[in-house]
Amino acid sequence: MNRDRQMPGGGALTHEVVELRVHGVSGSSAESLLDHPVVIRVAGDANAGFYRPRPGFGISNRPAGMHVEAYRWSALTAGGAVRTLSLLFLLPFMLVNLAVWARPPTGGSGGLIGPVCRLLAATLTAAFVLSIVGVTVDIVGWQCTPYEPCVRNRPYLSWLSDLPLGPRLALLALLPIGAIRLLWWLGERSARVFEAFPAARGQDRGGVEDRIDSPGFWNDALVVQRLRAIHVAVGLGTLDAILLGAQLKIYPTPVAYVLFVATWFLLAACVVLLCVPARRVDDGPGRGAVDERGIHPLRLVVTVLTVSALVYTALPLEPPPPREQLPGYEGAVAALIAVQAALLAVLTAATLHQRRHSPGNGSSWLGGLAAPVFAAAAIAAAYGFSAALVYRVADFLDRGEIPNPARPNVAHAPPLEPPASYRWAALAGLVAIVLVAATTMWRVLSSRRRRRRMAEEIVRRDFPDVPPEAVPRRRVVREVVARAAIAEQLSPAFIVFLVLSLLGVAVVGLDLVGTGPSELSQRLIATGGEASTNLAIATDVGMYVIGLVALGILVLGLFSYRSEDTRRSVAVIWDLGTFWPRTVHPFAPPCYAERAVPELAKRITALTTRGDVVLSGHSHGAVLAAATLLQLPAPVRQRVALLTHGSPLHRLYARLFPAFLGDPTLYELGDRVGWRWVNLWRDTDPVGGPIFSAHHPGERPRVSGPAGTVDRRLRDPCAVVVDPDDTVPPPIDQHWPYHTDRGYEAAVHELAGRLDPSGYPPQRHR
């Protein structure tokens, strides 16, 4: 290629530069990213590929010697309806996986936070299995089918009533096993697009949450394989314990006791394996692998125990007719909630302890308590969905209202009784939703005057002298700037949610010792009167609200493919939740960065063999760009400059995940690229913001040194008056787009010149 080209306006470009654009959440078409009508894919595939303008089509205003390329990765997270609907089922697992990454920075492995998060994740798997068992084995097999009014005119259930109790329960127990396999399938199906990017030799992840720049950080395949085996054992062990515990109440035998004790030893072994992170062992020359000692025997033991439990349950014994609930099931639900309450309390205490010993706590969002907030949200989502599922099925089968001890059943209806713990979990969820919504509204309203005052200062500085007809437009800009600052005001709402979650699981968990809500509700029911009626109404409302929330998430996922705005909103949550590797829960949605980061690194390495690269990341693409640069070797980084725009690197990631993308990591990133870094931001942007120093043009940066030169503010809009050649005022761009702004082009030219000091001079930033 000709390397001696002329820039428009003078100046010779003596090297080839590729501007590599990486989009943010919800994606964009390659044509839109490149501002070109016809593009071709030059690398990658349909799931994630690199595109360039097709030569000879359209008009290019790029200087000679400069090329533009786009990396489109949105298909890794967006896809068919199955992948979208899986957000509903995998949401609790995704949230608990985030918790371990949100720990405070300590410079170590995280102490107790990692093991506690892994144990909490295992309890969510057990809670999932218990909810399916509650619907199938308890509500349908134990409580409904023995009663003729429940199966009348229901041929899909009546055939079950002809089976003996044991075979009926064993047959229905296959459904929870199928549900575990469904979770496995959902994760595997979504992860297939990453299979072309295995880790390099010696770069397989161990079982700890290490530095984001360590080799193999983005390869979680072996850890997920290990965790999957443990969680399958936890799920099947929970099912075995319920089946065998019920059999011990019906017809106790020495065989049942032996199997029951063996099941608890199995669950205890899973706890030990989760508390001890996987160790790296040598597997051939130059390659590391995760130590799986204990995993293969675990698979064998859980298979033998589950088959034995099913066979023993299926024996045609003649027990007394069942009454009320499946023996031991309600106690198991209460015990699990009590365990989760204890683990959540330990996680909160460990996070507070680490926060006191961590530097830079003042910049952490949620007061440094993001880890227990994510964990509490995972528990709330899990029990919200469980309660909604169990009670909706019971509501359908009893042909009447939601089952409630405070309300008599309708005539000829079966006496279905789901666990009272689920009712109280629903009530706690209702209280949390109301109080968190009230706190959010209070923060938005109470901060309105302060945000408007701040916004007024900004717009008056940007547009000091405007004609009277432009004053309404300036007022609109002020409101946009004020709304863009709302996110920083919501921290108290999440802290309220954490406190309510701790109280909720602790109170419900008291059922384990017989002094919890179930005992209280029985006393209220015995006294009758207005108190028991109000309690029944409140818990019914909680059930309906949780059911509506679950239905809303389902509808949101479906409509995300009909509305671009809805798809962007869903994608923000999805992309944030699936950015980090699955080191806690193997059934969480797969980490798309497992492919995106190594693929970007490979492409950049190839491009730098022919010239230099200006890596341009918009929104979440800036996070991918930063993670990629931290993985590149020094010789490659010397030929790369970084341009971020609309970046949440500091506003969101440094505050939520300070141990991995906090301020020290961002400063280290700047050092590694020789501070060839420009970050563009707007006051109207509700997502992006400054990374090091929020200052206006003409002001002195608040951060000294090269970090103070990174952030550059773009005025938005460029004016509030109507241009003589236009019919409407300039648009307010907010978060998108940046690459159409003249300041963006100026930054690209400047960074390209800094990569080649002998090249053209940088353009002046407006």
Side-chain angles (χ1 to χ4, degrees):
M1 294 185 181
N2 183 8
R3 292 181 177 270
D4 189 10
R5 315 225 177 158
Q6 293 295 318
M7 284 286 295
L13 179 63
T14 60
H15 68 313
E16 181 178 297
V17 177
V18 175
E19 176 198 342
L20 179 55
R21 297 177 179 176
V22 185
H23 66 75
V25 297
S26 77
S28 179
S29 66
E31 292 81 3
S32 176
L33 281 171
L34 295 172
D35 285 330
H36 203 276
V38 183
V39 300
I40 57 173
R41 189 170 68 233
V42 295
D45 56 24
N47 292 310
F50 297 86
Y51 296 82
R52 286 195 178 190
R54 185 172 180 179
F57 287 82
I59 300 175
S60 176
N61 60 355
R62 307 297 296 180
M66 288 195 69
H67 306 278
V68 61
E69 185 171 305
Y71 178 56
R72 187 173 183 272
W73 55 271
S74 56
L76 297 178
T77 52
V82 171
R83 191 181 300 174
T84 301
L85 295 180
S86 67
L87 173 62
L88 175 65
F89 303 107
L90 306 182
L91 180 61
F93 309 147
M94 182 177 74
L95 290 172
V96 77
N97 190 68
L98 281 177
V100 75
W101 299 107
R103 63 177 176 83
T106 59
S109 61
L112 285 176
I113 291 181
V116 172
C117 286
R118 290 192 290 272
L119 291 176
L120 269 173
T123 65
L124 292 180
T125 299
F128 171 80
V129 173
L130 282 179
S131 66
I132 306 300
V133 170
V135 169
T136 57
V137 179
D138 181 24
I139 297 295
V140 174
W142 183 272
Q143 297 191 52
C144 175
T145 51
Y147 294 92
E148 194 275 335
C150 188
V151 297
R152 186 189 305 128
N153 299 324
R154 289 171 173 165
Y156 53 88
L157 289 180
S158 58
W159 65 276
L160 287 172
S161 61
D162 297 331
L163 296 176
L165 178 61
R168 181 169 70 240
L169 297 182
L171 181 63
L172 290 171
L174 296 177
L175 294 178
I177 298 176
I180 297 174
R181 187 63 184 90
L182 174 64
L183 292 179
W184 190 327
W185 176 78
L186 286 174
E188 279 190 333
R189 183 179 185 274
S190 299
R192 288 172 188 162
V193 296
F194 310 137
E195 291 177 352
F197 294 86
R201 297 178 68 86
Q203 293 189 2
D204 300 311
R205 167 184 283 281
V208 298
E209 296 76 33
D210 40 13
R211 288 172 52 94
I212 194 173
D213 60 346
S214 61
F217 181 89
W218 298 106
N219 179 46
D220 62 6
L222 294 176
V223 172
V224 171
Q225 180 181 351
R226 179 180 186 269
L227 287 175
R228 185 183 294 132
I230 298 174
H231 278 251
V232 168
V234 169
L236 295 179
T238 301
L239 173 64
D240 298 343
I242 294 296
L243 293 177
L244 294 170
Q247 288 295 318
L248 288 175
K249 296 288 185 180
I250 300 171
Y251 192 77
T253 65
V255 174
Y257 278 110
V258 170
L259 292 176
F260 188 70
V261 172
T263 298
W264 280 104
F265 272 111
L266 169 69
L267 294 175
C270 292
V271 170
V272 173
L273 290 172
L274 290 170
C275 290
V276 179
R279 291 178 296 176
R280 196 186 301 269
V281 297
D282 291 332
D283 183 19
R287 182 169 179 83
V290 170
D291 184 4
E292 290 198 2
R293 285 177 291 184
I295 298 300
H296 295 299
L298 183 70
R299 294 191 181 108
L300 178 62
V301 170
V302 72
T303 301
V304 172
L305 276 177
T306 302
V307 172
S308 301
L310 290 175
V311 171
Y312 186 84
T313 302
L315 294 177
L317 305 175
E318 293 297 335
R323 293 188 301 271
E324 299 178 345
Q325 299 169 325
L326 181 72
Y329 176 68
E330 182 166 12
V333 173
L336 186 62
I337 294 177
V339 170
Q340 289 174 328
L343 289 174
L344 188 57
V346 172
L347 178 61
T348 304
T351 303
L352 288 171
H353 175 75
Q354 286 202 6
R355 189 185 66 168
R356 286 195 295 268
H357 296 82
S358 301
N361 289 325
S363 62
S364 296
W365 201 39
L366 305 183
L369 292 173
V373 167
F374 280 128
I379 295 173
Y383 280 105
F385 296 156
S386 297
L389 174 65
V390 173
Y391 271 89
R392 287 278 73 81
V393 172
D395 184 24
F396 170 75
L397 292 178
D398 76 350
R399 305 178 191 270
E401 298 176 311
I402 296 177
N404 195 316
R407 183 189 304 111
N409 292 312
V410 298
H412 308 295
L416 302 183
E417 294 184 16
S421 297
Y422 282 154
R423 298 196 62 84
W424 285 94
L427 181 59
L430 176 62
V431 173
I433 289 174
V434 171
L435 292 183
V436 169
T439 304
T440 302
M441 186 64 65
W442 166 71
R443 288 296 297 171
V444 171
L445 295 177
S446 64
S447 65
R448 177 184 296 177
R449 180 176 298 179
R450 182 172 64 256
R451 288 185 288 109
R452 282 183 173 176
R453 186 167 54 248
M454 174 270 299
E456 183 68 26
E457 294 177 359
I458 291 173
V459 297
R460 286 191 179 276
R461 182 188 295 113
D462 287 344
F463 315 106
D465 299 313
V466 297
E469 62 270 17
V471 172
R473 181 62 173 175
R474 188 172 67 176
R475 189 178 301 117
V476 172
V477 176
R478 183 197 67 182
E479 292 302 315
V480 173
V481 173
R483 286 197 301 270
I486 286 179
E488 282 77 7
Q489 310 300 322
L490 301 182
S491 181
F494 291 98
I495 301 301
V496 168
F497 170 75
L498 174 60
V499 173
L500 292 176
S501 299
L502 284 168
L503 292 176
V505 293
V507 171
V508 176
L510 290 176
D511 271 340
L512 185 63
V513 294
T515 59
S518 297
E519 178 67 21
L520 174 61
S521 61
Q522 293 296 332
R523 293 180 181 178
L524 291 176
I525 293 166
T527 59
E530 185 177 356
S532 61
T533 302
N534 292 338
L535 178 64
I537 293 174
T539 53
D540 286 354
V541 171
M543 286 294 174
Y544 283 116
V545 168
I546 290 176
L548 289 175
V549 169
L551 180 62
I553 296 176
L554 185 65
V555 172
L556 189 66
L558 292 175
F559 274 90
S560 66
Y561 288 93
R562 298 177 179 268
S563 167
E564 184 176 354
D565 291 338
T566 305
R567 183 165 61 251
R568 288 181 185 275
S569 301
V570 173
V572 169
I573 302 173
W574 184 267
D575 292 352
L576 173 65
T578 56
F579 174 73
W580 298 102
R582 294 173 293 175
T583 59
V584 167
H585 207 298
F587 299 142
C591 165
Y592 60 87
E594 180 182 348
R595 168 170 177 172
V597 172
E599 189 170 38
L600 270 172
K602 184 177 181 181
R603 181 63 178 171
I604 292 172
T605 301
L607 291 174
T608 54
T609 61
R610 302 187 295 270
D612 296 328
V613 175
V614 176
L615 182 57
S616 170
H618 172 254
S619 187
H620 193 73
V623 184
L624 288 175
T628 300
L629 287 175
L630 289 169
Q631 291 285 319
L632 291 176
V636 176
R637 287 197 306 268
Q638 292 174 1
R639 309 202 67 173
V640 180
L642 177 60
L643 173 59
T644 54
H645 39 107
S647 168
L649 267 172
H650 185 272
R651 191 175 188 183
L652 182 63
Y653 278 82
R655 294 175 175 177
L656 282 179
F657 311 106
F660 300 94
L661 276 174
D663 290 337
T665 303
L666 296 178
Y667 275 93
E668 183 175 351
L669 174 61
D671 288 333
R672 292 191 182 190
V673 297
W675 292 103
R676 296 181 300 274
W677 185 358
V678 172
N679 177 64
L680 306 177
W681 63 282
R682 299 175 177 137
D683 287 304
T684 56
D685 192 339
V687 177
I691 295 178
F692 299 104
S693 176
H695 64 281
H696 295 265
E699 292 181 345
R700 189 173 182 178
R702 301 175 186 176
V703 177
S704 60
T709 66
V710 170
D711 294 302
R712 299 182 185 177
R713 174 181 174 271
L714 298 180
R715 188 175 64 179
D716 185 38
C718 59
V720 293
V721 297
V722 180
D723 190 272
D725 295 332
D726 207 339
T727 58
V728 295
I732 306 173
D733 289 326
Q734 297 181 263
H735 188 57
W736 177 268
Y738 275 78
H739 65 269
T740 58
D741 194 293
R742 285 176 296 174
Y744 177 90
E745 288 296 323
V748 172
H749 296 157
E750 176 187 339
L751 289 172
R754 289 164 65 181
L755 282 166
D756 181 29
S758 64
Y760 54 85
Q763 297 184 8
R764 183 176 298 276
H765 178 69
R766 73 176 176 90

